[in-house]
Amino acid sequence: MRRLVLDLIEAGHTDRILLSQDVGQVHELRSRGGRGYTYLAETFLPALREAGVPDETLTTITVENPRRWLTITRG
């Protein structure tokens, strides 16, 4: 999955990337050996940073894109 996100960034699609994860079953909880609720913040994003993705790009993906997507426009 990390390679896919890196490829999208390299292709100029940073402003179209939204990340999410799901913990829908008990075995996915960290206490049961799964990745848990903090996987994106503690593992996935640091891996992108280590791969050379600048903090500005990570902010776009994790703050600006969700903000834009969740904004309700009336028109």
Side-chain angles (χ1 to χ4, degrees):
M1 184 61 70
R2 182 180 64 167
R3 182 74 251 161
L4 175 62
V5 173
L6 291 171
D7 288 346
L8 288 169
I9 292 168
E10 290 170 11
H13 298 296
T14 298
D15 63 337
R16 304 174 105 191
I17 299 171
L18 290 171
L19 300 176
S20 68
Q21 76 173 69
D22 187 16
V23 177
Q25 298 182 22
V26 173
H27 73 273
E28 295 170 340
L29 295 171
R30 183 174 286 170
S31 63
R32 301 291 177 100
R35 293 179 173 176
Y37 290 104
T38 60
Y39 172 75
L40 280 175
E42 292 180 355
T43 304
F44 194 79
L45 294 175
L48 291 178
R49 188 174 286 113
E50 288 176 23
V53 177
D55 285 339
E56 179 181 301
T57 300
L58 294 177
T59 299
T60 298
I61 292 170
T62 60
V63 177
E64 300 302 325
N65 291 352
R67 179 184 293 147
R68 190 176 63 253
W69 188 77
L70 292 169
T71 298
I72 298 171
T73 57
R74 299 176 193 257

